[in-house]
Amino acid sequence: MTVLAHRTDTLTRDALAVLQPGFEGTTAPAWLLRRLGEGLHAVGLFGRNIATPGQLGRLTAQLRAERDDVLVAIDEEGGDVTRLEVRDGSSFPGNLALGTVDDTGLTRDVARELGRRLAACGVNLNWAPSADVNSNPDNPVIGVRSFGADTHLAARHTAAYVEGLQAAGVAACTKHFPGHGDTNVDSHLALPRIDADLDTLTARELVPFRAAVAAGTKAVMSAHILVPALDPTRPATLSPRVLTDLLRKELGYQGLIVTDGMEMNAIAGTYGIERGSVLALAAGADAICVGGGLADEATVLRLRDALVAAVREGALPEERLADAAARVRDLAEWTRARRAAALSGAPEGGAPDIGLTAARRALVLTGRASAVGTPYVATLAPRPNIAVGDETPWGVAAELAALLPGTASGVFHEGVGVGEVLAAAGERTVVAVVRDAHRHPWMTEVLDALVAAGPDTVVVEMGLPRAEPRGALHIATHGASRVCGRAAAEVIAGA
C-alpha cells in the first residue's frame, strides 16, 4: 500500500469513527453493518429502533457481532424523555422529581437501576443526565428534564446520577454544556441565546458540569446555544473558546465531547451539517451526533467525506481528527472492559420498584379531596416538546382506570371550551391533568373555569408546578412519566 493510500484509509476510518449516526428499523441495515466493519465506532438508537427489551438485546448483539467494542448510544433520561419505554412511558421519574425529593442516594440508585436495564439490553452510552440549571421557568425544552433551579442541588444530583449510571457499566454523557437552562428558544427549532454575564455563568451554569467532571463523567454533550459572554460569534458546539479553552483547559475535562444532534435547526439551519461538523471537531468536539432526523447511509457518507476533505484542504487539522477518533476508541474500550467484567462476574440483582418509589416520594399535595367515585380524567395537552416526542403516552387516565374501573377520559387541546369538557364529564368528578400550565394561558383559563364549576375538581400538574395550586386537591408530580402518573392515580383512588 502506498503512503498516500494508507493516509487516505486512516483519514476515512477516523472520519467514520467520530460519527454517531442513527438508522431506521428494529434490525441493523446492511449498510450500517458494513460501515461498522470499515471503522464506524458508534450507533445512536431512538424510539423507532426499539420494540421490546428482548428485541433491543438482539439488535445490539447484531451490532456487536460486527464490532465488539461498538458504542451503542441512547437518549434515555428516564422521566419524560424515554426511548427504552417509548410506547408505554418510563418506569422512572425524571430529574425534576429526583431533585424535588433531594436524596442523592435515591438519585444514585435510580440511575444505577436505569443503567442496569440499559446494560442488560446491550446499550453502553447514555446521552444523560441533563445538568442544566432550569433558571428560566418558561424554558420550552428543559423544564422537568432539569434537577431544578437551584445550582448546588443540580450539581449534587448530577454527580450522583453519573456515579450511579457508570456503576452499572454505562457511560454517562452529561449535557448540555455550558448550560441550556436559561433559554427561551428550543434549539431543535432555532439558535437560542443566553445573555448572562461571565460571573453568573460561572456561579450558576458551570457548577453542575464541574461536579460531573469531578464525578468522572465519561462524556459531555455540547449545547447548540450562543453565549456571548463566552463567544460572541459561535454557538457552543462550534466554539473553541467553549469546548477547548473552557471545558478542556479550565474545567480540566479529558473525556469524550459529543455534540448535540447536528440536524437540529440551531446548526443545520445556520451552518449546515457538513460545515457544522467540521467546525465542531475543529473546536474540540470528538463525536458528531446525527441521526435523530437524518438516519440513512447517505448522511454518514456526506459527513465522512466532508471531514476527509476538510483535513486535505487544511480546514481541520489531521491531528485533531486523529485525537477525536482516539477518544472515541478509548471510551469504546472502557465500555468493552466493563461489559466483560460484568459478564464474568456474578449477576447483579436489580431494584425494579425503585422508580415508582421515587415517583411517590416526589409528589407534592395541596388540599384534600373526598372520594371521587367514578372520575372523568380531562387531559389538557400542549404541543409536545420535540425532545420528548409525541409518541410516548402520559397522564393519569390509564393508571387511574386500572385502579378505578369505569374511569372515563378525554384529551383536549388549545381552543377547547370549558363547556365541552363539562359536557364530556357529566356528573363525574373531574380530574384535570395539565403539563406546564403556567406556560399555556388557555390551560389556566380552562382550569379556573373547571374549579369554579366543580369545587371537588382534582388538578394534576405533571410539568413544572409554577402556577398557584387550585382545586380541592392539587397534585404536583414533577414529571409525566408512567410511574409519576401511577403515583398520582394511587392518591386519587385512595382519596
Side-chain angles (χ1 to χ4, degrees), residues 139-231:
N139 192 316
V141 70
I142 301 299
V144 298
R145 300 167 66 197
S146 165
F147 288 110
D150 181 280
T151 297
H152 296 288
L153 178 146
R156 61 181 175 265
H157 285 278
T158 295
Y161 198 104
V162 167
E163 292 165 357
L165 192 64
Q166 293 186 169
V170 175
C173 182
T174 305
K175 60 189 181 185
H176 308 80
F177 188 81
H180 211 310
D182 195 22
T183 58
N184 57 13
V185 172
D186 186 342
S187 49
H188 291 87
L189 305 175
L191 179 62
R193 176 186 175 111
I194 294 179
D195 285 313
D197 59 39
L198 186 58
D199 288 344
T200 299
L201 293 169
T202 300
R204 187 180 64 188
E205 269 74 13
L206 297 183
V207 174
F209 289 97
R210 290 186 185 275
V213 170
T217 185
K218 291 295 178 180
V220 169
M221 178 176 283
S222 66
H224 301 332
I225 57 175
L226 186 67
V227 188
L230 300 175
D231 189 327

Side-chain angles (χ1 to χ4, degrees), residues 96 100 144 436 438 461-468 474 476-479:
L96 184 61
T100 299
V144 298
D436 292 334
H438 70 284
E461 170 61 84
M462 303 195 77
L464 199 65
R466 294 282 298 182
E468 191 70 23
H474 184 279
T477 63
H478 303 94

Side-chain angles (χ1 to χ4, degrees), residues 237-386:
T237 295
L238 312 182
S239 171
R241 297 185 190 181
V242 174
L243 299 188
T244 298
D245 295 345
L246 179 57
L247 182 54
R248 287 279 188 230
K249 296 179 180 178
E250 185 176 331
L251 271 63
Y253 175 66
Q254 296 304 313
L256 190 76
I257 299 177
V258 183
T259 72
D260 207 344
M262 296 301 284
E263 71 273 27
M264 293 164 63
N265 213 40
I267 299 297
T270 53
Y271 293 85
I273 64 168
E274 292 97 333
R275 182 174 177 233
S277 296
V278 170
L279 291 173
L281 280 171
D286 305 305
I288 302 297
C289 178
V290 63
L294 298 171
D296 53 31
E297 184 178 22
T299 299
V300 172
L301 298 181
R302 282 166 55 200
L303 294 179
R304 180 201 66 183
D305 294 346
L307 295 176
V308 170
V311 170
R312 289 175 172 162
E313 294 163 4
L316 176 64
E318 186 172 352
E319 297 77 12
R320 174 77 274 274
L321 178 60
D323 174 64
R327 290 181 192 275
V328 172
R329 294 176 185 126
D330 285 347
L331 180 57
E333 182 55 38
W334 180 87
T335 61
R336 178 165 62 176
R338 293 302 299 265
R339 177 170 170 267
L343 291 175
S344 63
E348 291 190 45
D353 296 328
I354 195 168
L356 181 56
T357 298
R360 287 167 176 159
R361 291 180 62 184
L363 295 181
V364 174
L365 312 180
T366 305
R368 173 179 287 183
S370 56
V372 296
T374 304
Y376 182 85
V377 180
T379 302
L380 308 182
R383 291 188 180 91
N385 176 317
I386 295 175

